[in-house]
Amino acid sequence: DTEVTQTPKHLVMGMTNKKSLKCEQHMGHRAMYWYKQKAKKPPELMFVYSYEKLSINESVPSRFSPECPNSSLLNLHLHALQPEDSALYLCASSPFEIMNTEAFFGQGTRLTVV
Amino acid sequence: SQQGEEDPQALSIQEGENATMNCSYKTSINNLQWYRQNSGRGLVHLILIRSNEREKHSGRLRVTLDTSKKSSSLLITASRAADTASYFCATLRSYNTDKLIFGTGTRLQVFP
């Protein structure tokens, strides 16, 4: 299994809602990532988990709250978002030796905040 | 934070022609990777070149890396309409091996 699975594929939420994005991989990878991508822009790194611990937070607003319940799962909890947070949210994972190999990406969740 | 700039921002060519995309970056790196993205969905890894390598090939892809100029290029030979996509370089910094940062990307359109 070489897939990273993200659910849901599409999400529409109001500014007062609380929702969660889910990411799952069964490749035994030790690092998992959240990226945000606006239209016609490159992916921007948000968070990195290494061995289930948060290792990088790229100064992301607290309305985005990541969680790594186990080595296969990564969640992104959303609360009180703004319309400008509408974007494609991408999850990725990589093996221990990322210096020698690539990151595997999910198909993303397209989020619309209304 | 963005690590690299890519040029051109957009490229249109006919099938059968070669496409060259360039990437420049700012800091010391462990490796540089190229990814492809169709229609704003997931990214697919194409090729990885380590900082001590100068050139790498994979099928119709050829990547070069010049660490002295902090630049890389991706050449797609004999392009096909199916190569139409956005192409991004991404760098893994030498002092933080968890941080994969993407360049600005090149949108490639290949006309049949």
Side-chain angles (χ1 to χ4, degrees):
Chain A
D1 184 359
T2 57
E3 276 194 351
V4 175
T5 304
Q6 288 188 245
T7 54
K9 286 187 169 46
H10 299 272
L11 178 63
V12 179
M13 62 184 289
M15 289 188 283
T16 59
N17 291 160
K18 285 185 182 181
K19 296 286 185 184
S20 296
L21 309 185
K22 181 180 172 182
C23 174
E24 196 165 1
Q25 58 89 11
H26 296 287
M27 295 177 278
H29 289 173
R30 63 88 172 161
M32 296 186 77
Y33 307 75
W34 280 116
Y35 285 86
K36 172 183 176 180
Q37 186 178 26
K38 302 283 272 185
K40 297 187 178 180
K41 296 291 186 183
E44 291 182 21
L45 184 63
M46 300 175 72
F47 302 104
V48 180
Y49 273 82
S50 178
Y51 291 108
E52 302 168 45
K53 291 193 186 324
L54 184 65
S55 64
I56 295 174
N57 176 342
E58 289 284 272
S59 302
V60 178
S62 60
R63 57 185 185 269
F64 295 92
S65 175
E67 179 197 21
C68 190
N70 60 58
S71 59
S72 299
L73 278 175
L74 186 65
N75 298 319
L76 187 62
H77 303 297
L78 314 172
H79 173 54
L81 294 194
Q82 304 297 310
E84 58 265 29
D85 296 322
S86 298
L88 180 68
Y89 288 84
L90 293 161
C91 173
S93 70
S94 65
F96 175 76
E97 292 292 336
I98 192 172
M99 290 86 81
N100 298 313
T101 187
E102 71 268 31
F104 292 76
F105 280 81
Q107 290 299 300
T109 294
R110 192 164 298 282
L111 174 68
T112 303
V113 182
V114 297
Chain B
S1 59
Q2 259 165 230
Q3 163 74 310
E5 297 283 329
E6 289 179 60
D7 77 271
Q9 288 188 346
L11 180 61
S12 295
I13 58 175
Q14 295 290 131
E15 263 190 327
E17 293 180 340
N18 295 342
T20 300
M21 291 159 252
N22 303 296
C23 167
S24 60
Y25 57 91
K26 298 172 186 172
T27 64
S28 296
I29 60 171
N30 262 315
N31 68 51
L32 187 143
Q33 306 178 28
W34 285 89
Y35 288 80
R36 166 192 165 128
Q37 185 176 39
N38 286 78
S39 304
R41 299 306 291 188
L43 288 97
V44 175
H45 180 262
L46 296 176
I47 196 164
L48 179 154
I49 187 164
R50 297 186 186 86
S51 58
N52 61 353
E53 297 176 314
R54 292 297 166 258
E55 188 170 313
K56 206 159 181 183
H57 297 255
S58 176
R60 292 184 296 115
L61 305 180
R62 173 180 170 253
V63 167
T64 62
L65 179 65
D66 187 335
T67 53
S68 66
K69 294 182 180 177
K70 290 188 168 59
S71 68
S72 174
S73 67
L74 171 68
L75 168 67
I76 304 174
T77 60
S79 63
R80 305 165 182 167
D83 294 328
T84 294
S86 291
Y87 292 82
F88 295 95
C89 67
T91 53
L92 197 66
R93 297 182 182 180
S94 55
Y95 58 86
N96 188 332
T97 56
D98 279 338
K99 209 164 185 176
L100 188 65
I101 302 294
F102 285 83
T104 51
T106 294
R107 291 189 305 280
L108 174 66
Q109 174 105 45
V110 182
F111 292 100

